[in-house]
Amino acid sequence: MDFCGPYDEQLAAHYRQSLLTPLLAGWEFRQRPALETGHTGWQLLAKKQNWLLTAPIRHDLLSDEWAIVVTDAEQIIQYVNPLFEKMTGYTNTEALGRRPNFLQGEGTSLLARQRMRKAIQKKRTVSELLLNYRKDQTAYWCNVVIRPITNHQKEIVNFIAFEKEVQLDELPADR
């Protein structure tokens, strides 16, 4: 082990037994890819995964009107844009490596969640109005459009969720 000074050596000696004890949960070893912010992050993913982007999806990715969440095929978040951070209160590093359902809570419609899950399993685009929760646990309504992203070999490699907060006066009457 490399130490910075004598104090580090003392701490290492004091806690040596706990340093040798195996970790129990296993999540400590999860590899988190480096997260780029701004447009650079999704562009790096697009290049790495060889995305086949349509003009409307490219337009939405470049616009500043959507909070964007990019997941891999297993629904693990790979990228969020700054508007997502502003809307939810979660930083990109707090969101990376998690599933998007961490934003949902007891008030989130179970039927909407099931419809989204089925559409994702069938690899289809889905649009839903969800009650999500910010980091400070305040609820907000969110229009979510999830689109599958294929590569040039026609394999689904990512999903992109375009999200926009909806104000109470904009909600449909049946909500």
Side-chain angles (χ1 to χ4, degrees):
M1 255 194 251
D2 293 329
F3 298 102
C4 296
Y7 181 70
D8 290 336
E9 290 176 352
Q10 286 177 327
L11 282 175
H14 184 266
Y15 292 104
R16 186 158 321 278
Q17 183 58 40
S18 63
L19 292 174
L20 299 175
T21 306
L23 298 172
L24 300 176
W27 61 265
E28 296 87 351
F29 300 108
R30 178 177 59 193
Q31 292 293 318
R32 289 185 160 210
L35 183 67
E36 297 288 335
T37 58
H39 296 310
T40 309
W42 71 259
Q43 289 172 343
L44 289 174
L45 278 172
K47 186 175 182 178
K48 179 180 175 185
Q49 298 286 348
N50 199 18
W51 286 0
L52 183 62
L53 287 179
T54 62
I57 293 176
R58 183 174 287 127
H59 176 268
D60 287 343
L61 282 166
L62 292 171
S63 77
D64 290 331
E65 63 183 86
W66 294 98
I68 297 171
V69 179
V70 179
T71 67
D72 61 14
E74 287 78 39
Q75 305 303 297
I76 304 299
I77 296 175
Q78 303 293 306
Y79 166 80
V80 297
N81 71 348
L83 195 53
F84 171 88
E85 294 176 321
K86 183 178 176 185
M87 183 172 72
T88 66
Y90 289 97
T91 65
N92 54 11
T93 53
E94 291 171 317
L96 182 68
R98 297 174 81 177
R99 293 182 184 272
N101 63 358
F102 78 94
L103 296 169
Q104 299 165 1
E106 65 182 46
T108 306
S109 167
L110 184 58
L111 291 174
R113 292 171 65 175
Q114 289 173 345
R115 285 190 299 261
M116 288 173 45
R117 192 176 311 115
K118 284 181 183 178
I120 289 169
Q121 288 172 349
K122 293 180 179 181
K123 299 171 178 23
R124 294 193 175 135
T125 298
V126 62
S127 178
E128 286 291 339
L129 187 62
L130 286 179
L131 183 65
N132 278 347
Y133 294 85
R134 293 183 174 85
K135 186 176 180 179
D136 66 4
Q137 295 306 306
T138 58
Y140 67 99
W141 286 98
C142 183
N143 181 29
V144 180
V145 179
I146 302 173
R147 296 180 175 161
I149 302 298
T150 60
N151 61 14
H152 288 280
Q153 291 76 37
K154 306 291 186 213
E155 303 165 327
I156 293 184
V157 291
N158 294 97
F159 288 91
I160 300 179
F162 297 95
E163 303 180 5
K164 192 181 296 186
E165 187 171 348
V166 178
Q167 301 305 319
L168 290 176
D169 58 343
E170 300 172 18
L171 288 175
D174 63 342
R175 290 285 170 193

